[in-house]
Amino acid sequence: MATWLRIRLPGASCARGTPYAFWTHLSSRRNVLLYFQDGGGCWSYSTCVSHSGFFQDSLRSPDDPGLPERGILAFRNPANPFRGYSMIYIPYCTGDVHWGNHVQTYSDGHGHSLVIHHVGFANDRRVLSWVYKHFRAPARVFVTGCSAGSVGSAAFAPYVIRHYPQATVGQLGDSLAFVFPRPVDIVDGWRADRNLPRWITAVRALNPHRLAMADYYKAMARYYRTHGFAQFNYAEDAVQTRYWVALGGESAAFPAALDASVREIESHAANFHAYFAPGGEHCVLPLDRFNRTRVGGVRLSEWVTKLARGRPVSSVRPN
């Protein structure tokens, strides 16, 4: 039986310059799962300093891809909708939600500084170059990830769709809607503006100094109307709430802001759908609860299966 294989990428690095690699489980040439790893984010000296608790700055282990083989990554589980897919596990260790392409120096204002390689997008493009070489014409590609990987999946979905114009490509962001009490500047520090899919006219019109993720999703989904886009969120996600508070928001205001962001996308893009589960947990796809989650009579695993196959779904919320 095939196993996970670790592939080193020369020239790629983590936040503090340590080596980078990705993992593959090769099976089908027709069906491919691209999974972007979680790992937080940082944007200042205090959030990027070692042991800040805001982000992962290196690969979790040089010998283990960090895959307990649960949820959608459990390729031996007959209930997994992606069993039989080739899986590409794209690690994350750069503090930029897979979107950056810049080496930034941060200072605390008291003579201390640190250098962070915000090169997540550059790393991931190297991974995708490998994918494009080894999978010439897949029929289905599902682009997903949890937490920071949720943003990574949205950042790269347009690139994957453009490269595979004949494939059914779906995107699902798990547990990071990138909703904050103020618009986000993705230029300062990360230089993520360099990596926006500028062939999409509505994306070119966005202000990267004041980015709202709902506007990005609307632009992407309306441009690619024949492809499906989606988000999964816990309604009171504690991790997302922590970042909301770190950027100046009141914790009690987060659930309403999250719901408003998702509804904003739904109201402008018929091919975008959301699945909300009650509670304050964070991430579902790589965990055992993926197979147990059911809201309003709709089992999450069945809902995701339809998304991956390009079938119609409806948004799901607790009653």
Side-chain angles (χ1 to χ4, degrees), residues 8 58 60 63 73 82 112 130 140-142 149 154 158 170 196 198 209 216-217 230 237 246 279 297-298 307 314:
R8 281 286 307 275
S58 62
R60 287 177 177 166
D63 303 314
L73 301 174
F82 299 102
H112 302 101
W130 184 95
R140 294 192 183 112
V141 183
F142 199 66
L196 293 170
R198 294 189 176 277
H209 291 282
Y216 176 80
Y217 259 99
D237 186 315
V298 179
L307 278 177
S314 298

Side-chain angles (χ1 to χ4, degrees), residues 153-187:
S153 71
F156 277 95
Y159 289 87
V160 174
I161 293 170
R162 186 169 68 161
H163 189 84
Y164 294 126
Q166 303 305 316
T168 297
V169 180
Q171 180 271 339
L172 170 61
D174 173 11
S175 298
L176 185 55
F178 216 55
V179 173
F180 302 110
R182 54 181 169 79
V184 177
D185 185 344
I186 63 171
V187 178

Side-chain angles (χ1 to χ4, degrees), residues 56-236:
Q56 175 186 322
D57 63 3
S58 62
L59 298 186
R60 287 177 177 166
S61 166
D63 303 314
D64 182 349
L67 299 173
E69 295 184 10
R70 297 181 295 175
I72 67 169
L73 301 174
F75 56 84
R76 294 180 178 88
N77 183 355
N80 181 4
F82 299 102
R83 186 173 186 263
Y85 276 58
S86 285
M87 302 184 188
I88 315 300
Y89 185 88
I90 305 173
Y92 165 66
C93 53
T94 51
D96 53 21
V97 295
H98 293 269
W99 225 344
N101 192 7
H102 180 59
V103 179
Q104 175 73 4
T105 299
Y106 293 102
S107 173
D108 67 352
H110 301 286
H112 302 101
S113 63
L114 55 86
V115 176
I116 297 293
H117 295 248
H118 288 305
V119 292
F121 193 88
N123 288 348
D124 296 354
R125 289 204 74 168
R126 289 183 171 95
V127 176
L128 285 185
S129 292
W130 184 95
V131 171
Y132 297 156
K133 179 180 178 180
H134 288 79
F135 298 92
R136 299 289 187 180
R140 294 192 183 112
V141 183
F142 199 66
V143 187
T144 190
C146 81
S147 199
S150 171
V151 179
S153 71
F156 277 95
Y159 289 87
V160 174
I161 293 170
R162 186 169 68 161
H163 189 84
Y164 294 126
Q166 303 305 316
T168 297
V169 180
Q171 180 271 339
L172 170 61
D174 173 11
S175 298
L176 185 55
F178 216 55
V179 173
F180 302 110
R182 54 181 169 79
V184 177
D185 185 344
I186 63 171
V187 178
D188 187 31
W190 298 351
R191 292 309 310 267
D193 58 305
R194 299 170 175 172
N195 308 316
L196 293 170
R198 294 189 176 277
W199 64 88
I200 300 175
T201 303
V203 169
R204 287 202 306 273
L206 299 177
N207 182 352
H209 291 282
R210 295 181 56 80
L211 182 73
M213 199 63 177
D215 292 335
Y216 176 80
Y217 259 99
K218 287 187 293 184
M220 174 173 60
R222 294 177 70 178
Y223 187 82
Y224 290 114
R225 296 176 185 271
T226 61
H227 297 273
F229 301 88
Q231 287 184 18
F232 170 91
N233 288 284
Y234 287 101
E236 298 177 320

